[in-house]
Amino acid sequence: DSSLKERIAALSLPLDEIRDKVVAETAAPIEGSRDICRVQECEMGNLVAEAMLDSVKGQGITIAIQNSGGLRASIDEGSITMGEVLTVLPFQNVMSTFELTGADVVAALENGVSQVEEVKGRFPQVAGLSFTWDPSVAPNEGRIKEVLVDVDGQMQPIDPEAIYGVLSNNYVRGGGDGYAMFAEKAINAYDFGPNVEDVVSEYLAEHAPYKPGVQKRISQL
């Protein structure tokens, strides 16, 4: 149908303008491949988690957890277009903030490393905390061996009874990828934040040229 094709072409023009817009620059490629981000700390995971956490600084939120299943691509060195950001984060998830006990944060991380052998998307990329896990332990039987949280710039052992401000995307907050504790035990949840892709593009622009890297946030015994 030639008329329909012409209509689609006309409607796609403003979308092409959005996709082609250069939003930032990166000094090196940002690794975001599935086979890396779903089993270990990765550069794209650090970028997205850090960007999300930075956007709510001053709101009492100190921990960000992003499921690796929500990261869908790497970004090449050089100019970054909005289209590339949307390829990495195609789901239009919005940011969700809530409070959670330290014990439930540990439970969330335990869930996150429970299906590494199947390379599942629940593997957690984080900011504001670091953790060590042991793949020799059976899933959900204590793979998480240590969790440190950032308290006023100092990394300290997580307190199971303390309440922490946590940030994720609305899919995970609603229990996606096995994070039932977020749906069932979240306190003061707010699920109507800005889109994650917009937060990341703004963070990249503010830190251009962005320098990707890993910071030993996730360690394996």
Side-chain angles (χ1 to χ4, degrees):
D1 188 326
S2 58
S3 63
L4 180 58
K5 288 182 178 179
E6 291 173 1
R7 181 62 175 158
I8 291 172
L11 291 172
S12 71
L13 289 176
L15 299 179
D16 288 340
E17 291 180 7
I18 293 172
R19 286 190 288 261
D20 294 341
K21 180 182 178 182
V22 174
V23 295
E25 182 179 347
T26 178
I30 307 173
E31 177 62 66
S33 61
R34 169 194 179 106
D35 57 342
I36 293 179
C37 290
R38 295 189 179 199
V39 298
Q40 65 187 54
E41 177 184 354
C42 71
E43 294 171 346
M44 190 65 71
N46 283 358
L47 164 62
V48 173
E50 200 66 51
M52 292 168 67
L53 190 58
D54 182 76
S55 71
V56 294
K57 57 188 175 185
Q59 297 183 26
I61 306 299
T62 60
I63 295 170
I65 298 176
Q66 163 71 31
N67 62 318
S68 292
L71 310 176
R72 292 302 174 120
S74 301
I75 290 179
D76 295 332
E77 179 180 356
S79 298
I80 302 174
T81 65
M82 192 62 198
E84 288 180 291
V85 176
L86 289 166
T87 300
V88 174
L89 299 161
F91 300 112
Q92 294 188 307
N93 291 133
V94 299
M95 298 209 312
S96 296
T97 58
F98 50 101
E99 295 176 328
L100 209 62
T101 66
D104 288 330
V105 172
V106 175
L109 298 175
E110 190 74 39
N111 168 72
V113 300
S114 66
Q115 295 185 350
V116 176
E117 291 81 1
E118 292 84 30
V119 196
K120 296 295 186 179
R122 63 183 58 190
F123 190 84
Q125 300 293 330
V126 299
L129 66 72
S130 63
F131 69 90
T132 301
W133 70 287
D134 185 351
S136 69
V137 177
N140 297 308
E141 295 293 336
R143 284 186 162 183
I144 299 299
K145 296 302 181 183
E146 182 182 55
V147 180
L148 301 177
V149 292
D150 186 347
V151 179
D152 298 327
Q154 299 291 326
M155 299 303 289
Q156 301 179 5
I158 195 166
D159 181 348
E161 297 182 0
I163 301 295
Y164 294 92
V166 182
L167 166 68
S168 193
N169 62 66
N170 63 302
Y171 169 72
V172 172
R173 218 293 292 170
D177 270 342
Y179 287 90
M181 68 292 298
F182 287 177
E184 297 168 1
K185 298 185 178 181
I187 306 165
N188 298 323
Y190 182 77
D191 300 325
F192 309 101
N195 281 35
V196 176
E197 69 271 15
D198 291 334
V199 168
V200 171
S201 67
E202 291 169 7
Y203 183 85
L204 285 167
E206 292 170 2
H207 294 82
Y210 179 73
K211 298 177 177 61
V214 293
Q215 289 87 35
K216 295 184 178 179
R217 299 178 187 178
I218 301 173
S219 302
Q220 184 176 319
L221 292 177

